[in-house]
Every structure is written in C-alpha cells, then in structure tokens.
Amino acid sequence: DLPSLPTAWMPRADIRETEKEYIIDLSVPGIKKEDVKCEVKDDVLTVSGERRSEKEEKGKSWLRRESSYGSFLRSFTLPEGLHTEDIKAAYKDGVLTLTMRKPPQVKSRGISIKID
C-alpha cells in the first residue's frame, strides 16, 4: 500500500464583470452553507470554510479516492472605492456567488498636448 498524503484543496473561482457589478462564483461542492464564512477587511474579501470527510464505515475500503477534504481560504483584493457593505452572497448547487456593485467611475477629461 502506498501512503496517502493529505491533499490541500482550493475552490475554483470564476470572476466576471457586468456594466454595474463584479461577480465571483466560487465552486464549493459538498460544503454546507453553514460551513462557509465571508469577511471583508482592509479591502480584501476572504472566503473560508471546510469540506468535511464522510464518516468511516466498518467493512468498507476505498479503491480510489480523489476527493479532497479539509479547510480552505481564498482572498480577493477588492477595487478601490467599492462599497463593501453592499456585497451580497448567495449559495446554490455547490456554488457561492458574491455580487458587488461597482463604485461610481471618476470621469477624467482628456487634454491634448501640443508637441513642439
């Protein structure tokens, strides 16, 4: 028998942008909503949680086990000016979706510079 090494795992994140929002979809299958925590501190959004292993059953042995278990932590630096109190989180079908309203854009005016 080969010794099995504990494997760390990291949920995959898809980050997209619409005209008015930033959206992060974090893939966390097999995790209960209660086992996920979201926090914002110093313009960094941190999502942490734990995927718990199934109970060991007597008389059963694994022929192959590719699922990873244990704690995870993902951090995302938020854009400057984002109103963190407006972040919304929803959990459905193993996907945690975080939606953030974009900050108002600062309009800059263009200036032509004459080249001598």
Side-chain angles (χ1 to χ4, degrees):
D1 286 57
L2 295 174
S4 61
L5 298 173
T7 54
W9 75 283
M10 179 95 41
R12 295 180 187 258
D14 294 326
I15 303 172
R16 57 196 152 108
E17 176 181 11
T18 67
E19 189 177 312
K20 296 181 179 184
E21 298 174 318
Y22 296 109
I23 301 163
I24 300 174
D25 290 319
L26 203 63
S27 180
V28 288
I31 297 179
K32 294 179 183 177
K33 180 172 71 170
E34 303 81 42
D35 292 335
V36 178
K37 184 177 180 181
C38 302
E39 294 181 316
V40 176
K41 184 177 181 182
D42 299 327
D43 294 327
V44 175
L45 169 65
T46 302
V47 181
S48 60
E50 183 176 3
R51 182 186 290 161
R52 302 176 197 278
S53 177
E54 298 174 11
K55 292 181 182 177
E56 199 64 36
E57 295 182 32
K58 291 184 180 181
K60 291 186 179 182
S61 61
W62 294 96
L63 296 177
R64 181 178 194 134
R65 190 169 189 177
E66 294 182 348
S67 299
S68 297
Y69 296 92
S71 298
F72 71 88
L73 181 106
R74 292 291 312 256
S75 294
F76 306 92
T77 302
L78 300 175
E80 192 173 316
L82 188 83
H83 298 289
T84 56
E85 62 276 0
D86 292 339
I87 296 174
K88 295 180 182 161
Y91 183 83
K92 183 178 180 184
D93 298 332
V95 176
L96 175 67
T97 300
L98 298 153
T99 306
M100 296 154 268
R101 190 169 41 101
K102 284 183 173 181
Q105 296 295 329
V106 176
K107 293 186 178 184
S108 61
R109 57 186 190 127
I111 300 172
S112 294
I113 300 172
K114 182 179 176 187
I115 301 174
D116 293 326

